């Protein structure tokens, strides 16, 4: 009975917040497609002089407005191949798939421009590690925070131009054989430009 009461309360809350968002004349859902450039911080704690390349990726963000000023956003991409360098030469590659869940505050009443700030959690899946021909490896999972600032600029009733900047905390321990050499903190800044559709 207690679980049923909690579920009913959650459903009622979602219904009320969705109604509040729709009362503003806009639907509660937003889908954004962005081109995002990853600028790696490359804070190497191994002492080996490791670094990972910067690159531009495609990303999709799905948002739900809980109220006119509050929304959640889930950002998703596909596994991205990165190159690892030891000084100048490459020592191999790995793939990673960063995804973030953020809670946002949207500022209103600014002549059409809709800036927002957000904070949340990032999970990055690391796979297909091929370093030093199998002699080195990385952690498979990375959990960290994510901070966000951006702005939506309406093009018409439903379409928006979106500019988004995020600081995402991604790290992995580096193993050579069974020896943990320390952590490599990628901690990239994501700079994204794209289109959003609200419905």
């Amino acid at each position: 009975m207690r679980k049923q009461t909690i579920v009913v309360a959650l459903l009622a809350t979602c219904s009320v917040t969705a109604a509040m968002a729709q009362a503003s004349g806009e639907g509660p859902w937003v889908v954004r497609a962005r081109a995002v450039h990853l600028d790696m911080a490359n804070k190497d704690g191994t002492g080996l002089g490791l670094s990972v390349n910067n690159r531009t990726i495609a990303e999709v963000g799905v948002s739900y407005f809980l109220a006119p000023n509050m929304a959640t956003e889930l950002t998703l991409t596909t596994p991205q191949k990165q190159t690892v360098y030891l000084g100048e030469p490459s020592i191999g590659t790995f793939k990673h798939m960063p995804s973030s869940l953020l809670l946002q505050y949207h500022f209103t009443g600014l002549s059409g421009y809709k800036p927002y700030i957000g904070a949340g959690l990032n999970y990055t899946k690391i796979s297909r590690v091929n370093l030093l021909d199998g002699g080195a490896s990385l952690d498979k999972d990375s959990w960290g925070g994510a901070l966000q600032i951006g702005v939506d600029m309406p093009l018409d009733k439903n379409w928006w131009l979106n500019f988004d900047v995020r600081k995402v905390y991604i790290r992995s321990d580096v193993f050579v054989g069974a020896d943990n050499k320390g952590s490599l903190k990628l901690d990239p800044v994501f700079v994204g430009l794209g289109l959003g559709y609200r419905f």
Side-chain angles (χ1 to χ4, degrees):
M1 179 65 70
R2 183 178 179 183
K3 290 182 180 179
Q4 291 176 345
T5 302
I6 292 172
V7 170
V8 170
L10 287 173
L11 290 174
T13 300
C14 289
S15 298
V16 169
T17 54
M20 289 172 64
Q22 290 172 353
S24 68
E26 299 173 314
W29 291 98
V30 179
V31 176
R32 298 180 181 90
R34 303 182 182 106
V36 179
H37 183 72
L38 278 63
D39 185 11
M40 301 293 187
N42 284 327
K43 299 176 182 177
D44 182 17
T46 68
L48 300 174
L50 300 176
S51 63
V52 174
N53 66 299
N54 302 325
R55 67 168 301 172
T56 300
I57 66 173
E59 177 187 84
V60 173
V62 179
S63 294
Y64 183 81
F65 275 79
L66 303 170
N69 294 95
M70 299 295 297
T72 59
E73 182 178 26
L74 177 65
T75 64
L76 301 166
T77 186
T78 57
Q80 306 295 327
K81 188 175 183 179
Q82 302 284 163
T83 302
V84 181
Y85 297 92
L86 180 60
E88 290 295 328
S90 166
I91 62 168
T93 61
F94 68 94
K95 287 191 174 184
H96 71 143
M97 187 170 66
S99 303
S100 296
L101 181 62
L102 302 126
L103 180 64
Q104 301 170 333
Y105 181 83
H106 290 252
F107 299 89
T108 57
L110 297 175
S111 301
Y113 291 92
K114 298 185 178 182
Y116 57 86
I117 55 175
L121 183 66
N122 175 264
Y123 170 69
T124 298
K125 179 68 176 177
I126 297 173
S127 62
R128 298 193 181 183
V129 179
N130 182 17
L131 303 177
L132 296 176
D133 294 324
S137 61
L138 302 172
D139 287 330
K140 294 182 179 180
D141 306 286
S142 173
W143 293 90
L147 301 173
Q148 180 185 44
I149 184 170
V151 61
D152 288 311
M153 294 162 279
L155 300 175
D156 63 18
K157 182 180 178 181
N158 298 102
W159 289 95
W160 295 351
L161 179 66
N162 175 252
F163 178 69
D164 186 269
V165 179
R166 269 170 287 144
K167 178 68 174 180
V168 177
Y169 293 89
I170 302 172
R171 58 162 289 176
S172 176
D173 285 346
V174 179
F175 299 88
V176 178
D179 188 13
N180 187 337
K181 293 296 185 180
S183 62
L184 176 61
K185 297 180 181 179
L186 302 182
D187 295 350
V189 174
F190 287 51
V191 180
L193 181 66
L195 290 175
Y197 183 80
R198 185 163 184 171
F199 59 97

